[in-house]
Amino acid sequence: MQPICLAIDTTFDDTSVAILKGHNDILANLTLSQFKDHEAFGGVVPERASRKHLEVIHPLISESLKQSGLTFQEIDYFAVSHYPGLLGSLLVGVTVAKSLAYSLDKPIIGINHVESHPYACFLSGAELTFPCLHLVVAGGHTLLMHARNHFDYQIVGRSLDDAAGECVDKVAKMFGHPMPGGPVVDGYAMQFSGEDFEFPKPLLKQKGFDFSFSGLKTAMLRFRQQNPDILDQEGPILAAFFKSVCEVLVEKTFSAAESLRLNRISVSGGLAASRKLKEVFTSESLQRGIDLHYPSPGLCTDNAAMVACLASFRFEAGLKDDLNLEAYPNLI
Ligand code: KG4
Ligand code: ZN
């Protein structure tokens, strides 16, 4: 019998619950997005996000049990993302998971949300083979992780300021698009060449594998202010902007892989749902003979199935936590 995990993710503004059997049999994977709840405020309001998680977490758990045809007693262990994220949001997931584990007397496993993103590739059918270079491009993080094995990784590059997804969302907002801006920008990038304008490609030629996207964001703001009448060119402008983002991500990732002598790369996180980014990574991997892993689009954005998947390997390895599990806002 394969163990069954119920996982919870409330790191930021999405409430997610999943039930996973073994390592990759998804019995339920439900996510409620709060984008609409924060739209009027122009960004995620932390206090509001926590309250929303509280409102929907129990109905989501009930629905996930219903969908998988299971009862609480049939769950073998619980998993929860306990960092990084908004503290108030994390606390909702952690408290609910701890309460369930305590009342049902089942193990609990705490998960690093960012570390779990690449596991979406495995859920999408790819083999999980090591060593591998993971690029995680989420809303709040852009990270390059050199993974030698499960739970054995080193961060070799990270965003020094804005994450790529954050930058894309903020630039889309400058052009009047609500959160999340990624799909809109990606749509333009698929439609236009990106050759009509030239925008900065931060740290592209610098040594090292860190990223910095706030300069590009400021350059876009300046461009927008200096060219108020250019709105009919929105598509070509945003396509050129996204070309800069993609080039930086591709160049840094492949040069890190080369310098670490890795011939396997995974790309995951919400921005990986971009068709343009996937196109660029796919063509570069083919040219360089690199093995590329990509999740299916639905598993790129935040979901609890990836959290359950990483937890299933920790459970197998006997790496369980206890009720002292705490929530941490930062990536430790
Ligand atoms: O991983 P994620 O769901 O949340 C975090 O962990 O932060 O990533 C959210 C990011 C946002 O920047 C959003 O605009 C972007 O993923 N995104 C997309 C798409 N769907 C979400 N970007 C491009 N194309 C998409 N289809
Ligand atoms: Zn995420």
Side-chain angles (χ1 to χ4, degrees):
M1 274 287 278
Q2 293 188 308
I4 295 177
C5 170
L6 187 151
I8 296 173
D9 188 278
T10 57
T11 41
F12 190 45
D13 59 342
D14 288 335
T15 321
S16 310
V17 176
I19 298 183
L20 188 78
K21 189 173 173 185
H23 292 308
N24 58 4
D25 185 4
I26 302 175
L27 304 181
N29 189 20
L30 304 174
T31 299
L32 269 181
S33 166
Q34 299 183 4
F35 282 128
K36 289 266 169 273
D37 298 285
H38 300 275
E39 207 172 310
F41 304 94
V44 174
V45 183
E47 167 71 14
R48 212 177 154 81
S50 321
R51 283 169 188 271
K52 200 72 202 169
H53 286 308
L54 266 178
E55 266 173 42
V56 301
I57 187 88
H58 292 295
L60 268 186
I61 292 173
S62 303
E63 184 57 29
S64 66
L65 286 169
K66 198 168 141 199
Q67 274 193 13
S68 50
L70 296 170
T71 62
F72 272 129
Q73 280 67 30
E74 289 167 291
I75 302 294
D76 294 299
Y77 62 102
F78 294 91
V80 61
S81 300
H82 68 128
Y83 74 100
L86 294 172
L87 188 57
S89 292
L90 289 164
L91 279 171
V92 174
V94 169
T95 308
V96 170
K98 278 198 213 177
S99 312
L100 288 170
Y102 175 71
S103 53
L104 294 158
D105 196 21
K106 299 281 166 84
I108 183 166
I109 297 180
I111 293 294
N112 170 356
H113 170 91
V114 181
E115 183 188 354
S116 76
H117 265 295
Y119 283 76
C121 300
F122 180 65
L123 289 174
S124 308
E127 278 302 311
L128 255 188
T129 23
F130 298 99
C132 185
L133 181 69
H134 298 311
L135 170 68
V136 180
V137 272
H141 295 273
T142 303
L143 280 187
L144 274 171
M145 303 159 77
H146 175 191
R148 292 181 200 85
N149 208 330
H150 296 294
F151 341 121
D152 177 11
Y153 63 88
Q154 192 185 354
I155 295 174
V156 294
R158 61 167 78 216
S159 38
L160 301 173
D161 37 57
D162 287 7
E166 192 179 348
C167 172
V168 168
D169 289 339
K170 286 178 178 168
V171 170
K173 197 173 154 193
M174 287 172 204
F175 286 80
H177 299 287
M179 287 271 287
V184 177
V185 173
D186 185 47
Y188 284 137
M190 293 302 288
Q191 202 183 332
F192 299 97
S193 69
E195 303 288 345
D196 301 330
F197 297 88
E198 180 89 30
F199 296 115
K201 294 168 184 133
L203 302 188
L204 188 70
K205 299 286 170 222
Q206 244 114 314
K207 274 192 172 172
F209 311 121
D210 286 332
F211 303 93
S212 164
F213 289 102
S214 75
L216 174 59
K217 179 189 67 184
T218 310
M220 295 306 296
L221 181 63
R222 216 169 291 131
F223 178 85
R224 178 83 184 78
Q225 287 164 342
Q226 286 166 358
N227 300 278
D229 304 324
I230 208 167
L231 269 186
D232 58 332
Q233 291 291 301
E234 178 182 312
I237 295 167
L238 289 179
F241 154 71
F242 200 56
K243 189 164 183 278
S244 286
V245 174
C246 291
E247 269 185 43
V248 173
L249 292 173
V250 164
E251 177 59 32
K252 290 280 173 195
T253 305
F254 284 94
S255 51
E258 195 178 320
S259 108
L260 295 163
R261 297 179 203 285
L262 298 172
N263 59 6
R264 197 173 295 114
I265 287 176
S266 90
V267 184
S268 59
L271 201 62
S274 149
R275 291 160 296 165
K276 190 67 191 178
L277 190 67
K278 185 171 184 181
E279 195 178 283
V280 191
F281 264 96
T282 305
S283 103
E284 195 71 23
S285 305
L286 279 172
Q287 264 179 41
R288 299 194 189 215
I290 297 258
D291 204 5
L292 177 70
H293 297 300
Y294 235 95
S296 53
L299 289 168
C300 288
T301 45
D302 282 351
N303 65 87
M306 67 190 193
V307 175
C309 184
L310 171 55
S312 71
F313 289 96
R314 291 190 81 88
F315 185 76
E316 194 175 64
L319 296 170
K320 296 169 199 161
D321 294 286
D322 58 30
L323 297 175
N324 291 314
L325 187 75
E326 285 187 45
Y328 302 101
N330 297 325
L331 190 64
I332 302 164

